[in-house]
Amino acid sequence: MFKLTEKGEKIQEMFDTIAPRYDFLNRVLSFGIDRSWRRFAVKKIKYAPNGRILDVATGTGDVALEIAAQTPSSVSITGIDFSGEMVELGKQKVAASSYAGRINMHVAPCEDIPFADDSFDSITIAFGIRNVVDRSQGLKEMYRVLKPGGRVVILEFSTPRFALFKHLYHFYFLKVLPVIGGLFSKFSAYKYLPDSVIEFPSQDQFKTIMAGVGFKNTQHHDLTLGIATVYTGEK
């Protein structure tokens, strides 16, 4: 069983704590744009009839449900997340949806995915790779369980390149977002969010990391003036 580092355990505890308000704050703090980002990312997946798709860091299941909405009924979806509280909320959402028979969810970290090699047609991870302490190990695990020819799709926050918008974005992320988040949830969690985004590698640097663990044909697509980025790679 994979043992989280002390930092990983603190991040896990933070997500367990904010789980009840997570969906609400995502909508408020992103002005609802996060939904369109997820739809765009899911359009990038590959699958075959009766295929399997893995959603890593599934949280409360938003991406898993979007995958189900965009794929035929023969495609099954598995979600994993290291936060047990997030997974419990996700299971409730899935059970209340029309896709309950196609989605299953488990508690597991990205660095130790509990499935066999070459198991999935595509793997997604939305706003999660930033929180993986050992990113290279997490990417290696995703590569391992991906089928040959399969595709990984990674949606993550990024730093805009346009100078004026970058300054406005940093002001909102560093000054406004933690205060609003703190009113409804845990201030430290929404202070962690912008800090973790700012220290995340640039688009080109992250694609280099992906290539370093074996992913081919790595590409990125900036969304909403570079607030978020979708990365793709193939095995």
Side-chain angles (χ1 to χ4, degrees):
M1 184 67 182
F2 183 82
K3 181 173 174 55
L4 294 172
T5 63
E6 182 179 351
K7 180 179 179 181
E9 288 178 347
K10 287 180 178 178
I11 296 172
Q12 180 189 52
E13 181 182 357
M14 179 190 71
F15 278 101
D16 281 343
T17 301
I18 67 174
R21 306 295 281 173
Y22 184 74
D23 285 350
F24 169 73
L25 282 168
N26 272 354
R27 303 293 99 80
V28 171
L29 296 173
S30 72
F31 305 103
I33 302 172
D34 61 305
R35 288 171 170 161
S36 66
W37 293 340
R38 288 184 177 90
R39 285 195 295 270
F40 180 91
V42 170
K43 289 182 186 299
K44 297 293 181 182
I45 63 174
K46 294 172 63 176
Y47 57 87
N50 302 306
R52 298 175 67 197
I53 299 172
L54 176 67
D55 182 39
V56 179
T58 194
T60 61
D62 279 350
V63 171
L65 288 164
E66 182 63 34
I67 294 169
Q70 290 194 31
T71 56
S73 59
S74 66
V75 173
S76 62
I77 301 108
T78 298
I80 62 169
D81 198 288
F82 73 163
S83 167
E85 294 297 322
M86 288 283 194
V87 169
E88 282 306 309
L89 289 170
K91 286 180 177 179
Q92 293 173 29
K93 282 169 64 174
V94 168
S97 76
S98 58
Y99 305 113
R102 298 176 54 199
I103 302 173
N104 60 87
M105 302 179 77
H106 309 275
V107 178
C110 180
E111 297 99 326
D112 188 16
I113 298 174
F115 300 106
D117 297 359
D118 307 333
S119 292
F120 296 95
D121 297 81
S122 279
I123 299 174
T124 57
I125 178 169
F127 308 118
I129 194 66
R130 185 184 74 257
N131 303 311
V132 177
V133 175
D134 190 340
R135 270 180 216 136
S136 291
Q137 175 61 21
L139 288 167
K140 287 176 183 176
E141 276 291 274
M142 287 189 276
Y143 185 87
R144 178 184 66 79
V145 300
L146 191 65
K147 292 179 180 179
R151 178 177 292 166
V152 65
V153 179
I154 300 170
L155 170 60
E156 190 51 84
F157 285 114
S158 48
T159 300
R161 299 180 185 183
F162 182 58
L164 177 60
F165 188 64
K166 180 179 179 179
H167 290 312
L168 292 171
Y169 172 78
H170 278 180
F171 176 78
Y172 175 73
F173 238 41
L174 295 171
K175 304 295 184 183
V176 178
L177 184 148
V179 174
I180 298 174
L183 291 174
F184 296 96
S185 188
K186 190 174 181 181
F187 177 86
S188 60
Y190 288 90
K191 177 66 172 66
Y192 162 82
L193 171 61
D195 290 344
S196 65
V197 171
I198 289 170
E199 69 88 28
F200 193 74
S202 69
Q203 289 90 334
D204 288 340
Q205 289 171 336
F206 187 67
K207 286 190 297 183
T208 297
I209 296 171
M210 291 175 66
V213 303
F215 287 109
K216 300 178 292 185
N217 304 324
T218 57
Q219 298 181 19
H220 78 271
H221 308 268
D222 287 336
L223 307 176
T224 317
L225 298 175
I227 291 176
T229 299
V230 170
Y231 302 88
T232 59
E234 297 178 346
K235 182 172 178 178

